[in-house]
Amino acid sequence: MHGESPILTVWGARQGQVLTLKNVQSIIKFAHKYNLFIFADEVYQDNIYAEGSKFHSFKRVMTQMGSPFDKIELASFMSCSKGYIGECGLRGGYSELVNVDSKVMGILVKSLATRRCPGTIGQTTMFCLVNPPKPGEPSYEKFKSEKEGVLKSLAERAKMVADTFNSIPGMSCNAVQGAMYAFPQLKLPEKAIAKAKALNQCPSTFYVFQLLENTGICVVPGVGFGQQPGTYHFRTTILPQSEKLKNMMAKIKEFHLKFLEEYK
């Protein structure tokens, strides 16, 4: 790195929202202004569901913006544990580093040389991700059909989850534009907020513990994601198969209505 560049980490679709081209350009300008090293988590680049949404590579946008933005230090990440493959038990991935000082790269290469590599299955899966079948090859049509089927199913589940949350009193949820998560907002009764504070818990944490204890459903409280003060959320996945997901959403709705009744 040139001197000591602080790090700016960017998640393109972690809460189900997809960065627009303008968003990416603004982040790049911000990084240049404050001499930041960008870590771009781009593992969900294939998981774009909403009409009008599109994945924009930080490296490509930096290059298109030209000097001085194309000189920003950047590390972008990709994985076979996410996306349309979603093989979460097969750990494999890569990072591409751009504009990093040669001395830093030398130290990084030495560091990597002393570490153990991923397992053979993870490496094989990663190879399949970066070298998919090409048109005209024997397995291309099968690959294309399976990939499109997975992404279509995820898109349907993304819509179902957002629609369900928006149908529940005291909940609202943005459209799940991409990735594998929804981030609904909760309108909690004052008695519930007071109860949480009496237990020295964030209300979102109190809510998700109650959900877990009453339904067995595990979600992540919004307090861990920098939610705006005075607002409450949780994050949940859209990954369960459709029938299981419908059952899960029905249980959440039933619990939430009882929760509102208890603390009204």
Side-chain angles (χ1 to χ4, degrees):
M1 290 182 283
H2 309 303
E4 295 184 3
S5 302
I7 295 171
L8 173 63
T9 304
V10 183
W11 291 279
R14 283 288 179 177
Q15 311 312 335
Q17 304 302 295
V18 178
L19 294 175
T20 65
L21 176 59
K22 186 176 180 180
N23 292 151
V24 176
Q25 291 171 336
S26 296
I27 292 168
I28 291 171
K29 291 177 182 177
F30 180 85
H32 176 262
K33 180 178 179 179
Y34 294 101
N35 190 32
L36 301 178
F37 189 125
I38 298 177
F39 278 20
D41 181 348
E42 299 180 333
V43 301
Y44 293 111
Q45 57 190 261
D46 290 297
N47 299 80
I48 309 295
Y49 315 126
E51 185 176 349
S53 294
K54 181 181 178 181
F55 166 69
H56 298 282
S57 157
F58 269 79
K59 179 183 177 182
R60 175 176 291 180
V61 176
M62 281 169 43
T63 302
Q64 292 173 341
M65 291 173 70
S67 184
F69 306 108
D70 58 355
K71 303 299 189 295
I72 294 173
E73 294 168 306
L74 167 74
S76 58
F77 300 88
M78 186 57 179
S79 170
C80 63
S81 299
K82 304 291 183 181
Y84 60 88
I85 294 180
E87 297 289 354
C88 299
L90 305 180
R91 296 301 183 181
Y94 67 79
S95 173
E96 180 181 13
L97 283 82
V98 180
N99 298 325
V100 177
D101 185 272
S102 59
K103 292 181 180 179
V104 175
M105 286 298 298
I107 294 172
L108 177 62
V109 171
K110 288 181 181 178
S111 174
L112 293 175
T114 64
R115 299 176 63 185
R116 291 180 295 176
C117 65
T120 302
I121 296 178
Q123 292 186 55
T124 302
T125 308
M126 198 67 222
F127 178 84
C128 294
L129 175 65
V130 299
N131 295 280
K134 297 175 178 58
E137 293 182 348
S139 58
Y140 174 73
E141 292 301 325
K142 177 71 171 175
F143 162 76
K144 180 173 179 288
S145 173
E146 291 185 356
K147 176 182 177 181
E148 291 176 351
V150 169
L151 293 175
K152 180 182 178 183
S153 176
L154 286 170
E156 291 170 349
R157 283 177 265 171
K159 184 178 186 306
M160 178 182 72
V161 167
D163 288 348
T164 302
F165 282 136
N166 285 319
S167 73
I168 302 174
M171 278 194 188
S172 61
C173 186
N174 290 332
V176 180
Q177 298 175 331
M180 300 173 177
Y181 309 100
F183 197 62
Q185 182 174 353
L186 303 165
K187 299 294 185 182
L188 299 179
E190 288 300 322
K191 285 180 65 176
I193 295 172
K195 176 70 171 180
K197 291 180 177 178
L199 296 172
N200 198 30
Q201 292 181 342
C202 171
S204 64
T205 302
F206 173 70
Y207 181 91
V208 302
F209 277 141
Q210 292 297 307
L211 176 65
L212 176 62
E213 291 170 4
N214 285 275
T215 68
I217 297 171
C218 182
V219 299
V220 185
V223 68
F225 299 97
Q227 63 188 359
Q228 289 292 324
T231 67
Y232 310 109
H233 306 75
F234 66 80
R235 188 180 81 163
T236 187
T237 182
I238 64 169
L239 279 178
Q241 295 301 310
S242 295
E243 287 306 312
K244 290 183 178 179
L245 192 59
K246 288 178 183 177
N247 183 48
M248 184 184 91
M249 297 304 295
K251 287 186 176 181
I252 290 177
K253 182 174 183 177
E254 180 183 5
F255 163 80
H256 185 75
L257 295 177
K258 290 180 179 178
F259 184 91
L260 293 182
E261 181 65 24
E262 181 179 355
Y263 289 100
K264 69 179 181 180

